[in-house]
Amino acid sequence: MLTKRIIPCLDIKNGRTVKGVNFVNLIDAGDPVILAKQYAELGADELVFLDISATLEGRKTMLEMVLKVAEQVNIPFTVGGGISTIADVTALLNCGADKVSINSSAIKRPELINELSGKFGSQCVVVAIDAKRIDGQWMVHLAGGTIPTELNLFEWAKEVEKRGAGEILFTSMNNDGTKAGFANEALAKLSSTLNIPIIASGGAGTVQHFIDTFTIGKSDAALAASVFHFGEIAIMDLKTQLRENKIPIRL
């Protein structure tokens, strides 16, 4: 059985790590380079680095910061924000990223998924999906969750897989920052209908939430931010408790 993964997420705005609730009310959480180094040393399996305002501000991910972060870590490292071309991905990989995460650009031009997986391999391509449950339907949003679309989460996820994505990073906008648990019903449905790994995002608040997303939500990895940034959950303590609950995890 494949081991489950614990992934701290560094949302970056104006060169700082930030964290909000339901995608708004952002507060400062520290220097991303320092945090990245700490997480690598404290037992994180991977890192995700998202330049959350790049798409909204119409600019590219900050390559210099990616380079600095990559120099400090020895674990797989995914970068997202403002990526829309093969050249963007080439530059990020040259700076040390292992994978890239695309979101709005994939919705606007789905062929980008085919192009990137064809050029760099599906293992390099993570498609992030931000979705909000509205009247019982999970609807996909773009541009950092600010623009609703007509896309259904599950239909879009199937298309993403078909086009060559290696993983899906699903963030529930309803759960984001609430510390009330992951959207496990939606995660379980994604896991049962897709053959690629699903990373759960949005809602981590306790160790039990991680246990639940791996057992009930069938997630392959769990991503969290504030509980790690502000020292509410220690990664190795979390992993120890996951192992005690018979969840395969790398210690």
Side-chain angles (χ1 to χ4, degrees), residues 32 43-44 57 62 81 90 108 114 123 133 149 156 219 221-222 232 243:
E57 296 170 7
M62 295 168 286
T90 300
K108 293 173 182 174
N114 304 71
Q123 81 289 339
R133 189 168 184 171
T149 74
W156 175 233
S219 303
E232 295 163 37
R243 177 72 69 86

Side-chain angles (χ1 to χ4, degrees), residues 162-226:
K162 190 182 296 183
R163 287 183 176 275
E167 287 184 282
I168 286 175
L169 168 54
F170 163 53
T171 300
S172 164
M173 294 174 61
N174 306 74
N175 299 58
D176 176 69
T178 64
K179 300 185 183 178
F182 295 94
N184 291 318
E185 186 179 337
L187 285 159
K189 185 173 179 180
L190 284 170
S191 295
S192 66
T193 54
L194 302 176
N195 295 308
I196 56 176
I198 308 296
I199 304 169
S201 170
T206 68
V207 170
Q208 189 61 47
H209 292 155
F210 287 90
I211 294 169
D212 289 345
T213 203
F214 290 134
T215 55
I216 301 169
K218 309 298 181 188
S219 303
D220 298 281
L223 178 144
S226 59

Side-chain angles (χ1 to χ4, degrees), residues 85-91 93 100 115-125:
T85 67
I86 284 177
D88 293 340
V89 177
T90 300
L93 297 181
V100 295
E115 294 168 7
L116 296 182
S117 62
K119 172 77 173 177
F120 303 104
S122 61
Q123 81 289 339
C124 186
V125 182

Side-chain angles (χ1 to χ4, degrees), residues 11 50 76 148 171 200 231:
D11 289 335
L50 299 176
T171 300

Side-chain angles (χ1 to χ4, degrees), residues 102-111 113 127-130 140-141 149 151-163 168 190 194:
I102 56 175
N103 189 334
S104 299
S105 58
I107 295 170
K108 293 173 182 174
R109 198 171 70 83
E111 299 80 17
I113 304 169
V127 173
I129 304 177
D130 300 329
V140 176
H141 287 56
T149 74
L151 288 173
N152 172 275
L153 164 64
F154 305 103
E155 292 170 7
W156 175 233
K158 287 178 186 174
E159 180 175 349
V160 161
E161 179 181 43
K162 190 182 296 183
R163 287 183 176 275
I168 286 175
L190 284 170
L194 302 176

Side-chain angles (χ1 to χ4, degrees), residues 47-160:
L47 290 171
V48 168
F49 169 75
L50 299 176
D51 189 346
I52 60 172
S53 56
T55 296
L56 276 174
E57 296 170 7
R59 59 177 172 74
K60 303 303 182 185
T61 301
M62 295 168 286
L63 294 176
E64 185 179 346
M65 179 167 291
V66 173
L67 188 62
K68 288 178 180 177
V69 171
E71 287 173 349
Q72 297 296 331
V73 304
N74 57 356
I75 54 176
F77 177 38
T78 301
V79 181
I83 298 168
S84 59
T85 67
I86 284 177
D88 293 340
V89 177
T90 300
L92 288 166
L93 297 181
N94 287 341
C95 283
D98 297 282
K99 300 184 255 189
V100 295
S101 171
I102 56 175
N103 189 334
S104 299
S105 58
I107 295 170
K108 293 173 182 174
R109 198 171 70 83
E111 299 80 17
L112 179 64
I113 304 169
N114 304 71
E115 294 168 7
L116 296 182
S117 62
K119 172 77 173 177
F120 303 104
S122 61
Q123 81 289 339
C124 186
V125 182
V126 179
V127 173
I129 304 177
D130 300 329
K132 189 173 189 177
R133 189 168 184 171
I134 303 170
D135 297 328
Q137 297 290 317
W138 284 96
M139 305 309 294
V140 176
H141 287 56
L142 51 75
T146 60
I147 302 173
T149 74
E150 296 297 313
L151 288 173
N152 172 275
L153 164 64
F154 305 103
E155 292 170 7
W156 175 233
K158 287 178 186 174
E159 180 175 349
V160 161

